Amino acid sequence: MSTTAYGALNARLAELKDLDAIGGLLAWDQQTMMPALGGAVRAEQMATLAGIAHQRATDPQLGRLIEAAESEVANGSPDDRMTGTVRLARRQWEHSQRVPADLEEALARASALGFDSWVEARAASDFTAFLPSLERMIDLKRRYIDCFDGRPYDILLDDYEEGMTADEVSRIFDRLKAGLVPLIARVRERADAIDDSCLTGDFPADKQKQLMEQIAGKVGFAPGSWRLDPTAHPFAQSLGTTDIRLTTRYNEHDLAMALFGTIHECGHGLYEEGVAADLERTILAGGCSSALHESQSRMWENQFGRSRDFWQYAFPMVRDIFQDQFNQLDAETVYRAANKVMPSLIRVEADEVTYPLHIILRFEIEKELFEGDLQPADLPDVWNAKMRDSLGIDVPNVADGVLQDVHWSEGLFGYFPTYALGTVLAAQIWQRVRTDIPDIENQIATGEWLPLREWAREHLHRFGSTYSPQDTIVRVVGGPIDPNPFLAYVTAKVDALYGV
Ligand code: ZN
């Protein structure tokens, strides 16, 4: 095989994949292990690596190999993997041809420095301390947008959700808003129907860690293939299908944050781990798109972790570790608490119903930043006004307001919509799971969690990025992204819980 252009291309792509994983490792280390003063030199290391990766990715020899492999594939009888490989290699090639090396390096450096600046500014709740690095990042992103043709927000989106457009996102978000706003109003009248106080109290981090490792150890990772570490803004990183780095954060007064956060990151990790082993180090290894990735994390977090069946099984595990808090309670009480609908400040702590409104707010702000005339300095005011408008919440400080998310510090503009798209997809996927595994509820309630992972692996994970995001979505749910199953799912759940 190595005598063919296709074989030689794969060898090149494997090196690029390695460089990408090394960058991922540097980023993981920065956010979990690195001592506080390591940031400046780390930024240079990441910029150097980005420069080397860019040089390799734009090497004319690679371009020739892609062309030769394309004609081999066109003239042969290619399997889906070959077609997918040349498709994605061509896409990445065109992409790196357009972005100059100095801009790639500047973006990598600004991302590492921006992250450090965000951590400090958020700890001090000081937006002006963060503003210079944010402005620098937005300038660089504008330069980046100028490298491509098309509408600015579509260009940003395309990096995370290939083929998705701002107009399509708007159409989906309008339907979400129309369904969720009246539902939230109905619940507001019955806000006292659910008491969630059992999830707040005294939860020492070391005991939480014990619980999270038990749960993560049970969702289906191969032993020895994963680890879990604390961080400021949780994420999952994969260095390969057998090296999954999960992160979480512990709030010693609130169990829900680490609990649902950890299950969420497990969903991401399972997707990366579930990619077929023989795709390792290929361009196709790894989740297909950000929305598809988020469909997995949200499905595990919500349809699984916020289900009555999960709590039936998990309640004794939780009670054994936190006896004082849970000895007098039962699974149903915690299930209800875990599903309380309450407009709140923080996106990652939001319930399933109000969550999409947090995303819609960020989408509107990002569009205004890159397509309108919103100035970065005005972000706190605009943020606060929108929080009041859409969620009825007064923002007490920037740390819990505009500085709550890490994304903008690292230049991840256009990423937020994929969270809500993934949430919507999770409900579509869950419909299929329930049809294919009629016994799924009972399985979850009895601690038999592997069939769910197996289903996801069989229908989604193992393909990695073999197919385009749109094709993958159609393959797994039978049609395009559709908010109706999500709206039906949350409405039925909330109406039952609140006795509407
Ligand atoms: Zn996620």
Side-chain angles (χ1 to χ4, degrees):
M1 206 55 192
S2 57
T3 55
T4 63
Y6 179 75
L9 172 63
N10 268 303
R12 285 289 194 116
L13 295 175
E15 285 180 355
L16 288 174
K17 193 79 184 173
D18 291 342
L19 290 171
D20 189 50
I22 293 165
L25 180 58
L26 289 178
W28 172 84
D29 177 80
Q30 180 179 24
Q31 298 189 35
T32 53
M33 300 288 162
M34 191 187 77
L37 296 184
V41 69
R42 178 59 49 93
E44 294 310 316
Q45 292 156 354
M46 290 170 89
T48 297
L49 185 68
I52 292 170
H54 187 271
Q55 217 170 24
R56 294 248 170 177
T58 52
D59 179 357
Q61 173 61 13
L62 178 64
R64 286 191 287 273
L65 276 176
I66 293 171
E67 212 167 297
E70 279 170 341
S71 61
E72 274 177 16
V73 164
N75 298 321
S77 43
D79 57 16
D80 289 358
R81 179 180 300 189
M82 295 170 84
T83 310
T85 297
V86 292
R87 187 190 81 81
L88 212 50
R90 167 64 61 188
R91 174 176 153 84
Q92 290 189 5
W93 168 259
E94 302 289 346
H95 195 276
S96 26
Q97 289 300 309
R98 284 172 175 262
V99 185
D102 70 315
L103 179 56
E104 288 284 11
E105 285 170 37
L107 280 164
R109 188 180 292 113
S111 167
L113 292 173
F115 174 77
D116 268 8
S117 157
W118 169 76
V119 170
E120 278 174 35
R122 181 164 169 263
S125 196
D126 180 1
F127 184 75
T128 51
F130 178 57
L131 187 57
S133 57
L134 179 64
E135 285 175 329
R136 164 106 184 112
M137 180 55 88
I138 290 172
D139 284 345
L140 290 171
K141 278 283 168 180
R142 286 192 211 284
R143 268 185 67 198
Y144 178 81
I145 287 168
D146 288 341
C147 300
F148 300 89
D149 310 313
R151 185 174 161 183
Y153 202 84
D154 291 349
I155 293 165
L156 294 172
L157 260 177
D158 192 69
D159 280 347
Y160 311 107
E161 203 58 32
E162 181 189 349
M164 182 55 73
T165 64
D167 284 342
E168 181 60 16
V169 170
S170 294
R171 274 194 291 277
I172 294 168
F173 284 4
D174 287 348
R175 286 170 64 196
L176 279 178
K177 224 174 183 171
L180 294 176
V181 169
L183 184 59
I184 294 167
R186 283 215 297 284
V187 172
R188 199 170 262 153
E189 288 164 16
R190 298 173 152 257
D192 297 336
I194 291 180
D195 174 8
D196 65 348
S197 57
C198 65
L199 293 172
T200 51
D202 183 20
F203 300 100
D206 58 329
K207 286 184 158 188
Q208 289 195 48
K209 182 172 193 288
Q210 198 188 329
L211 174 63
M212 301 320 151
E213 297 210 324
Q214 273 184 32
I215 291 174
K218 215 185 137 46
V219 294
F221 291 111
S225 71
W226 62 281
R227 54 178 295 132
L228 174 69
D229 298 277
T231 191
H233 201 294
F235 61 97
Q237 179 81 43
S238 142
L239 306 184
T241 61
T242 52
D243 187 351
I244 309 295
R245 312 292 173 101
L246 309 171
T247 65
T248 195
R249 78 179 143 188
Y250 302 112
N251 174 339
E252 298 206 305
H253 308 290
D254 175 0
L255 184 60
M257 184 191 281
L259 183 60
F260 295 109
T262 304
I263 300 175
H264 178 102
E265 300 308 334
C266 281
H268 284 303
L270 286 170
Y271 192 176
E272 294 290 322
E273 198 204 28
V275 171
D278 55 1
L279 290 183
E280 193 83 279
R281 292 181 71 240
T282 71
I283 197 171
L284 305 178
C288 182
S289 75
S290 298
L292 279 157
H293 236 299
E294 201 65 11
S295 80
Q296 296 308 285
S297 54
R298 297 291 280 170
M299 181 182 86
W300 280 93
E301 176 189 356
N302 293 329
Q303 277 81 8
F304 170 83
R306 285 191 167 87
S307 70
R308 183 175 269 123
D309 312 292
F310 170 80
W311 280 103
Q312 202 172 324
Y313 183 83
F315 178 72
M317 289 166 75
V318 177
R319 187 188 49 202
D320 284 351
I321 293 178
F322 298 106
Q323 295 200 0
D324 294 349
Q325 287 90 338
F326 293 104
N327 245 340
Q328 308 296 321
L329 301 178
D330 56 19
E332 181 68 14
T333 304
V334 188
Y335 163 65
R336 292 178 64 82
N339 285 285
K340 187 175 177 74
V341 176
M342 175 72 89
S344 62
L345 274 174
I346 309 291
R347 174 184 65 86
V348 293
E349 294 169 25
D351 57 81
E352 286 178 88
V353 181
T354 57
Y355 183 89
L357 299 184
H358 290 266
I359 299 303
I360 293 170
L361 173 152
R362 286 157 176 76
F363 171 61
E364 289 170 357
I365 287 178
E366 289 184 340
K367 265 198 315 185
E368 278 297 303
L369 267 177
F370 287 94
E371 297 187 351
D373 34 46
L374 174 57
Q375 296 304 310
D378 298 330
L379 274 172
D381 288 344
V382 171
W383 181 282
N384 296 351
K386 281 185 179 289
M387 280 298 284
R388 215 167 298 128
D389 249 27
S390 73
L391 287 154
I393 296 260
D394 285 320
V395 178
N397 57 62
V398 286
D400 293 325
V402 69
L403 287 185
Q404 66 180 267
D405 289 308
V406 66
H407 304 64
W408 294 342
S409 79
E410 297 182 328
L412 300 178
F413 294 96
Y415 192 102
F416 281 118
T418 66
Y419 288 136
L421 299 176
T423 298
V424 162
L425 265 174
Q428 292 177 264
I429 291 174
W430 194 247
Q431 273 192 331
R432 293 244 151 173
V433 170
R434 291 183 61 175
T435 308
D436 289 356
I437 316 178
D439 194 34
I440 185 73
E441 274 104 355
N442 186 47
Q443 289 180 353
I444 294 173
T446 54
E448 217 187 302
W449 296 351
L450 291 184
L452 178 57
R453 185 208 68 179
E454 279 311 305
W455 187 96
R457 187 170 276 189
E458 172 68 22
H459 292 87
L460 175 64
H461 299 176
R462 67 189 172 102
F463 301 112
S465 302
T466 301
Y467 309 102
S468 72
Q470 285 110 322
D471 288 353
T472 303
I473 289 168
V474 171
R475 289 172 70 93
V476 71
V477 300
I481 298 180
D482 171 12
N484 282 342
F486 170 74
L487 289 170
Y489 156 79
V490 285
T491 303
K493 190 174 184 181
V494 164
D495 283 351
L497 277 164
Y498 282 85
V500 178

